[in-house]
Amino acid sequence: MSLILASSSPFRKELLAKLGLDFLTHAPDIDELRHDGETPKQLVYRLAEEKAAEVAKTQSGLIIASDQVATLGSGTQVDDVILTKPRSHENAIKQLQQSSGNTVTFVTSLTLLNTNTNNIQTIVEIFKVVFKVLTTKQIDNYLKKEQPYNCAGSFKSESLGISLFERLEGNDPNTLIGLPLIQLIKMLENEGVDILENQ
């Protein structure tokens, strides 16, 4: 069966490539706006399933879809504010000042859809990043060096962003970058795909 990643994210593509399996990519075009009364956890769960279903309209096989948001809340409350991509230096400074000394919760969903059987598996994984107390100069220097203006929360954990953190709390560091690989391996096994036997 074909393996299809329902994403245009270079980070997710790079993560999936770690597993050594051949796969295609197909970016879904869906409305990603948060619904009224929706928690971050409910939002990412819904979006992963919608992305998989959208790609299934034109592709067949095992479709992998994921979505992620960052919040200063728990991720389970309707009033949790989602940290968006800052898009500018000024917005990124504000975001990192908010995160300084606080915990940012990354809420990441993962869906695996088998188009042959319509079997769908979806999980949501939580990963927490505890920030150091940062000075304005540290924040400004980091942003000028890394320019993470297209990253939710205004940092890239896989590079210099690691210098902003006190500690990380979670089951799988890949989740923070955007794709929970440990959970994905379990889902693929449920569909009869053993990663180590397919090398």
Side-chain angles (χ1 to χ4, degrees):
M1 285 184 77
S2 296
L3 196 61
I4 301 127
L5 177 63
S7 177
S8 58
S9 163
F11 303 114
R12 287 197 177 104
K13 189 175 178 182
E14 196 175 311
L15 285 172
L16 185 55
K18 284 183 180 185
L19 301 185
L21 299 174
D22 291 330
F23 65 92
L24 307 168
T25 58
H26 192 88
D29 183 19
I30 64 163
D31 179 359
E32 298 192 29
L33 285 177
R34 185 178 183 180
H35 292 172
D36 289 342
E38 200 169 40
T39 68
K41 189 174 180 180
Q42 290 167 333
L43 169 66
V44 297
Y45 190 101
R46 175 177 62 81
L47 290 180
E49 291 200 340
E50 285 183 7
K51 287 176 181 180
E54 180 66 22
V55 170
K57 290 177 182 176
T58 58
Q59 307 291 315
S60 62
L62 291 172
I63 298 174
I64 300 164
S66 183
D67 196 75
Q68 182 183 69
V69 296
T71 176
L72 286 165
S74 67
T76 60
Q77 303 300 312
V78 172
D79 59 356
D80 285 346
V81 176
I82 290 173
L83 299 174
T84 56
K85 295 174 183 177
R87 307 289 184 196
S88 73
H89 187 79
E90 294 70 27
N91 288 340
I93 286 175
K94 286 177 193 167
Q95 275 197 352
L96 288 179
Q97 284 173 336
Q98 281 182 302
S99 299
S100 174
N102 288 317
T103 299
V104 175
T105 300
F106 281 81
V107 187
T108 307
S109 58
L110 176 66
T111 290
L112 184 67
L113 170 63
N114 184 332
T115 62
N116 290 354
T117 62
N118 284 325
N119 186 46
I120 187 164
Q121 303 174 67
T122 303
I123 60 98
V124 175
E125 184 138 318
I126 301 294
F127 198 97
K128 297 189 174 189
V129 176
V130 181
F131 274 75
K132 294 192 280 197
V133 175
L134 302 166
T135 66
T136 304
K137 185 176 182 184
Q138 286 174 321
I139 290 171
D140 192 52
N141 286 348
Y142 168 72
L143 292 173
K144 284 176 179 168
K145 175 84 174 174
E146 193 116 298
Q147 301 188 1
Y149 307 127
N150 203 30
C151 300
S154 304
F155 67 86
K156 297 178 193 173
S157 62
E158 60 272 27
S159 45
L160 189 61
I162 201 76
S163 66
L164 306 172
F165 311 149
E166 192 71 46
R167 68 181 182 278
L168 304 175
E169 299 174 358
N171 296 326
D172 182 350
N174 299 294
T175 301
L176 182 56
I177 304 169
L179 198 63
L181 291 183
I182 292 173
Q183 290 291 340
L184 177 58
I185 289 165
K186 290 176 186 173
M187 289 179 172
L188 288 168
E189 285 171 353
N190 292 339
E191 292 293 343
V193 179
D194 186 308
I195 298 298
L196 293 176
E197 287 186 0
N198 280 278
Q199 296 301 318

